[in-house]
Amino acid sequence: LTLSQVLAFASGSTSIPRLGFPVEATSEFLHPQENEPAEIFPEANTCSIVLRLPVHHQYEDFGEYKKDGILQAPTFRVM
């Protein structure tokens, strides 16, 4: 998993624009909600450049689900 792939997942762009993004990128954590199943994969809002990471009990689970979620997410690029 590369920084470029994480940036593409969170912003839709594989590199930082020369003049920067129009909004500041942020990250949030997806804490389990009562009476709802816990999220296991990361989420993103590319318009407001927010990366939301799920909370796991084991770091290994966090790393694996983060990597899988980002690498398997559809991208905006057209082939």
Side-chain angles (χ1 to χ4, degrees):
L1 186 63
T2 66
L3 185 56
S4 177
Q5 291 168 315
V6 173
L7 184 62
F9 179 78
S11 71
S13 177
T14 57
S15 62
I16 299 172
R18 291 185 189 264
L19 298 176
F21 290 108
V23 295
E24 185 175 329
T26 59
S27 60
E28 299 174 353
F29 290 95
L30 297 167
H31 292 278
Q33 300 299 312
E34 194 172 322
N35 299 324
E36 290 186 19
E39 297 291 334
I40 61 170
F41 292 107
E43 299 175 357
N45 182 322
T46 57
C47 296
S48 57
I49 312 176
V50 177
L51 176 62
R52 295 182 183 96
L53 299 169
V55 176
H56 292 278
H57 293 290
Q58 300 292 322
Y59 181 76
E60 292 78 16
D61 293 340
F62 167 77
E64 197 63 32
Y65 284 118
K66 177 191 65 170
K67 182 182 77 171
D68 290 347
I70 291 173
L71 293 177
Q72 295 178 29
T75 64
F76 291 106
R77 286 177 266 149
V78 176
M79 301 285 182

